[in-house]
Amino acid sequence: MKTATIILDKDYTIGIVDPRLFGSFLEHLGRAIYGGIYEPGHPLADEEGFRTDVLELIKKIQVPVVRYPGGNFVSGFRWEDSIGPKPLRPHRLDLAWKTTETNEFGLHEFLHWCRKAGTSPMYSVNLGTRGIEDARNIIEYSNHPGGTYWSDLRIKNGEKEPFSIKLWCLGNEMDASWQTGQKTAYEYGKLARESAKAMKIIDPSIELVACGSTGPLIETFGDWELTMLDQCYDYVDYVSLHRYYENPSGDTADFLANSCDMDEFIQNVSCLCDSVKGKKHSKKTLNLSFDEWNVWYHTKNQDEKIQTQHRWEKSLPLLQDVYTFEDALMVGSMLITLLRHADRVKIACMAQLVNVIAPIMTENNGSAWAQTIYYPYAHVSQFGRGTVLRAIVNSPVYDSKNFCSVPYIDAVGTLDESGTVTIFCINKDLNEDFKLSLDLRAFPGLVMTDHILLSHPDKAAVNTKENPFNVIPCSVNNDTQENGQYQVLLPKLSWNVLRFSPERRD
Ligand code: AHR
């Protein structure tokens, strides 16, 4: 059996976990909203039409922040269409996804839903077809107490107290050719700056995310960050990163190695931000908002067909990727990577939350269930709080098609307020189990309280409506301890959560 070691020490830390690292994303896309979180008439819908079965699944993963309403959708969206009496709200063509938006679910509904889901909003403004004027208006509507046209309209629409939305995105993927209202880096940087100025005059307590590149492979990557930040560095608080991974050729080893790409992407964007900081002699360090990340590829061909055959129809079943066990491992690896960068990445949103490339699926008028990727997300959100520990991992490595020296064992540790140490770790080896030795000398009073394991003999295994518990975690008990060294068995291709809590002396 192969072996690896992990050493953890409480003095070797990376940073404090910002709870917003475990955020998610809901776009007016496909069945995310209509038939996802909102379905009046569903047997389990509440008085506002929110599906309570979906709310329960969301509450279990403790989602701290939800980005909304897009995504590509926001670049053609008029936020005023989504307020006021529902029968008067206009139906509009959504150019991003070639469907029709009814606006039945809008700003007020989203904020009510956030309260029920125990989450907070991250609201995107449209800097594609719109600009400064609309950005200032929605801040005034949402966050100003009253006595002006927009704030009084909010009160008239039933909300006396301001919504006080704290976190805002300045547009979405404005570098991308598919974006309605695509901009050059200079145009966007200037627009982001002027919108930010206006928004912060109305509410100086808000935080703003500027659009970074759509991904590291887009040809303007790097130049985009430098040019747009040159314009808006002093006015924004975060830069966004987006990244999706795929495995169309079925090369699992290479697919799982993509965490190296994510790691490099985060490092490169940090360097780009710091380069602008240096040029400007600024005292401010910009943090990162990785506000779209996931696996996305299973439905791409099918989506094109649906969009062609059902152009301009409502709530089409788009991006309904059914995730495999292998995808859950990749998601786990991305979560480990995010935790390893907790000093710099303060916000991250798994894209998305329900039905659209999502951990939760629903059937119209039917059940809701958790996909494979739900579980690593739930574990890290539930247990990955507190301080991130810099795990020293000694693991054999492998070379894949696109990556060299990829450690088979990918791991990170956290220390929470109760003194519990949690180690999240993946065995990426397709063929062999690993014996992992854990050196926890720096934590003498801790005892192992749980080993949660997610594994499956079939890497293509999925959860479906008919078989929703095919891939689920379980607790195992095959670990041993001697002189502060734990020996843990990590089965081939597995996600593991190892928990060590202070010994109870009662
Ligand atoms: O999450 C799906 C889409 O991916 C989003 O709308 C867009 O921002 C990205 O390209």
Side-chain angles (χ1 to χ4, degrees):
M1 194 186 299
K2 285 183 178 157
T3 59
T5 60
I6 294 181
I7 307 169
L8 287 179
D9 195 304
K10 49 177 143 253
D11 290 330
Y12 300 153
T13 62
I14 292 175
I16 306 287
V17 182
D18 187 319
R20 297 173 301 173
L21 199 60
F22 311 120
S24 191
F25 176 29
L26 277 170
E27 178 167 2
H28 280 256
L29 193 189
R31 297 176 53 253
I33 307 293
Y34 305 108
I37 61 166
Y38 176 79
E39 193 180 344
H42 186 280
L44 296 174
D46 68 9
E47 67 293 349
E48 292 186 278
F50 304 152
R51 280 187 63 158
T52 55
D53 52 346
V54 176
L55 277 171
E56 285 318 307
L57 280 166
I58 291 171
K59 280 195 232 161
K60 279 193 197 138
I61 34 180
Q62 301 180 13
V63 183
V65 69
V66 175
R67 183 168 174 253
Y68 172 88
N72 297 338
F73 170 80
V74 82
S75 296
F77 176 56
R78 298 163 55 89
W79 70 269
E80 318 87 288
D81 290 348
S82 80
I83 57 171
K86 287 191 183 184
L88 301 182
R89 295 185 195 170
H91 292 197
R92 301 250 186 221
L93 295 184
D94 163 23
L95 306 193
W97 302 104
K98 300 175 188 65
T99 55
T100 295
E101 172 56 50
T102 63
N103 286 302
E104 188 183 333
F105 184 99
L107 180 63
H108 289 246
E109 290 75 27
F110 175 61
L111 290 151
H112 292 180
W113 179 86
C114 282
R115 284 177 203 148
K116 288 185 177 168
T119 190
S120 60
M122 176 180 189
Y123 198 91
S124 312
V125 296
N126 175 358
L127 294 189
T129 59
R130 308 188 98 190
I132 309 163
E133 172 76 2
D134 305 293
R136 79 170 288 291
N137 291 349
I138 187 172
I139 288 274
E140 188 177 320
Y141 183 90
S142 306
N143 289 13
H144 192 67
T148 64
Y149 174 78
W150 288 110
S151 56
D152 285 347
L153 187 57
R154 180 197 71 240
I155 296 168
K156 188 172 155 221
N157 286 336
E159 208 65 36
K160 187 162 181 309
E161 296 303 321
F163 288 127
S164 300
I165 303 173
K166 289 291 167 219
L167 191 56
W168 297 79
C169 300
L170 294 166
N172 177 69
E173 296 187 349
M174 297 309 310
D175 57 335
S177 58
W178 56 85
Q179 209 66 220
T180 315
Q182 180 191 12
K183 311 247 173 319
T184 65
Y186 176 75
E187 287 165 348
Y188 171 71
K190 206 163 156 257
L191 180 59
R193 179 188 71 216
E194 294 307 313
S195 305
K197 266 160 65 179
M199 292 164 85
K200 285 192 172 178
I201 289 172
I202 298 174
D203 184 350
S205 74
I206 59 172
E207 290 194 304
L208 298 174
V209 183
C211 291
S213 293
T214 288
L217 304 181
I218 199 158
E219 61 184 13
T220 48
F221 176 69
D223 283 342
W224 173 272
E225 278 75 6
L226 295 177
T227 307
M228 72 91 182
L229 284 177
D230 199 36
Q231 293 302 311
C232 66
Y233 191 90
D234 293 334
Y235 298 88
V236 301
D237 305 284
Y238 305 91
V239 171
S240 73
L241 297 84
H242 291 181
R243 193 76 174 110
Y244 296 96
Y245 293 105
E246 49 187 68
N247 185 19
S249 63
D251 183 343
T252 302
D254 198 50
F255 176 52
L256 296 180
N258 274 309
S259 51
C260 303
D261 172 88
M262 187 179 193
D263 189 71
E264 190 178 284
F265 183 30
I266 294 171
Q267 287 181 46
N268 287 342
V269 177
S270 303
C271 291
L272 290 163
C273 292
D274 292 347
S275 150
V276 179
K277 175 185 179 179
K279 181 182 165 202
K280 289 183 175 292
H281 305 284
S282 174
K283 297 262 178 287
K284 175 169 101 178
T285 299
L286 269 194
N287 283 322
L288 309 185
S289 171
F290 211 125
D291 47 41
E292 284 188 36
W293 67 268
N294 202 348
V295 172
W296 174 16
Y297 73 102
H298 294 285
T299 57
K300 277 190 174 158
N301 294 337
Q302 187 183 318
D303 287 332
E304 273 175 32
K305 277 194 209 133
I306 297 175
Q307 282 172 313
T308 311
Q309 285 167 7
H310 300 273
R311 210 170 165 88
W312 309 128
E313 289 182 22
K314 296 173 202 159
S315 334
L316 292 174
L318 297 173
L319 281 67
Q320 296 200 162
D321 282 43
V322 175
Y323 287 114
T324 61
F325 166 62
E326 167 188 280
D327 296 331
L329 294 179
M330 185 57 217
V331 160
S333 206
M334 294 174 90
L335 285 159
I336 288 174
T337 307
L338 288 170
L339 276 172
R340 271 204 296 259
H341 288 281
D343 55 334
R344 204 68 197 253
V345 183
K346 300 294 170 188
I347 304 162
C349 304
M350 181 194 249
Q352 299 192 8
L353 187 55
V354 184
N355 288 332
V356 170
I357 43 174
I360 297 167
M361 296 297 278
T362 71
E363 187 191 21
N364 287 343
N365 207 29
S367 62
W369 63 97
Q371 295 229 56
T372 60
I373 61 169
Y374 179 91
Y375 295 105
Y377 178 21
H379 295 150
V380 178
S381 178
Q382 205 180 336
F383 303 128
R385 308 283 174 148
T387 303
V388 184
L389 302 171
R390 191 176 297 283
I392 312 296
V393 183
N394 289 308
S395 160
V397 294
Y398 67 93
D399 291 338
S400 70
K401 189 168 166 230
N402 291 300
F403 300 94
C404 294
S405 302
V406 182
Y408 281 109
I409 304 299
D410 196 7
V412 73
T414 55
L415 171 64
D416 71 18
E417 275 182 353
S418 73
T420 296
V421 168
T422 304
I423 301 169
F424 303 99
C425 87
I426 295 179
N427 177 0
K428 296 186 180 178
D429 197 312
L430 276 86
N431 304 309
E432 287 196 52
D433 299 346
F434 263 74
K435 194 203 281 176
L436 176 70
S437 296
L438 285 172
D439 188 337
L440 297 180
R441 275 169 301 184
F443 301 93
L446 296 188
V447 291
M448 191 164 188
T449 45
D450 207 0
H451 177 174
I452 305 169
L453 171 71
L454 187 69
S455 72
H456 201 284
D458 178 7
K459 63 189 173 153
V462 296
N463 291 345
T464 58
K465 177 177 66 114
E466 293 75 23
N467 192 3
F469 306 114
N470 184 27
V471 182
I472 54 167
C474 61
S475 277
V476 290
N477 189 5
N478 52 11
D479 310 315
T480 57
Q481 191 227 339
E482 209 176 304
N483 301 330
Q485 291 263 347
Y486 283 89
Q487 308 285 333
V488 177
L489 180 80
L490 305 179
K492 63 184 177 190
L493 285 187
S494 63
W495 162 257
N496 302 265
V497 183
L498 313 171
R499 308 255 299 148
F500 301 85
S501 301
E503 211 165 358
R504 288 183 54 181
R505 298 181 187 282
D506 42 34

